[in-house]
Amino acid sequence: MFYHNDDASRGRSLLLEYMALLILSILGMVQVMVKTHFAESNLALGNVQSDGSDNGTYYPSSLPLSVSQAAMEFSPTEKYALNASADWASLIPHGQGWVQLGKERQPFAVSMYHQLHCLNGLRVALRTPKTSRSPQFNSHTNHCFNYLRQLLLCKADTTLEPTKITQTGDGKVRAAASGDNVVHVCRNWVQIRRFVEENMRDYWRET
């Protein structure tokens, strides 16, 4: 006959409870390891960045915004000329293109507006007499030259521009490209500006 054994049953019950606790502990450790690995991997890949403190706060490396594509046909314009200061100023939103992110409202510069700031800085440098350029002014101008150089290499626009045969001043015939009337696939800069302005309005309301 097969009899029920109370002692054996209690032993099996305790063993099952112990195994359940062990499994839960292991799962908890795995969860912590996965979170740590995810944070470290994202930092290594540049997907997030630390705020520099020890509180484990991380911020995205780009705006938390899904930016749609946009098409821009490059064309000549009378706007944004060398002396058109108002046109250049209109490109920068209120807040100078900065955003405040996270609970601590950490300030970040948005690269697009830093780039426009630098391009405008080169415009100002071209209009400033050499005798009026301070060492700080020249240092900022050199920074902007290098910054925009890196931007162009980083973006590496491979759009093809049609050429036409022209005769140069020295009488040579060469193929030339103006880049006019060529459509480029871009990111929606209007969408980015709207996000930046709304972010700053929220920040000003809170402060």
Side-chain angles (χ1 to χ4, degrees), residues 62-120:
S62 59
L63 282 182
L65 174 69
S66 179
V67 182
S68 61
Q69 288 188 335
M72 177 190 283
E73 181 178 321
F74 287 17
S75 58
T77 177
E78 294 182 359
K79 295 187 68 176
Y80 310 110
L82 196 61
N83 60 349
S85 298
D87 289 340
W88 285 95
S90 70
L91 293 172
I92 307 298
H94 295 299
Q96 303 302 308
W98 287 71
V99 292
Q100 314 283 332
L101 299 178
K103 293 181 180 179
E104 302 299 324
R105 286 301 190 179
Q106 182 81 6
F108 292 93
V110 178
S111 288
M112 182 179 79
Y113 292 113
H114 187 178
Q115 293 152 13
L116 286 170
H117 160 80
C118 265
L119 188 57
N120 185 52

Side-chain angles (χ1 to χ4, degrees), residues 3 7 18 21 29 31 34-35 42 54 64 74 92 102 129-130 139 149 186:
Y3 295 97
D7 290 338
Y18 173 76
L21 288 173
M29 292 174 63
Q31 186 178 22
V34 168
K35 286 183 177 179
N42 277 315
D54 296 327
F74 287 17
I92 307 298
K130 289 184 178 181
S139 176
R149 174 189 66 83
C186 313

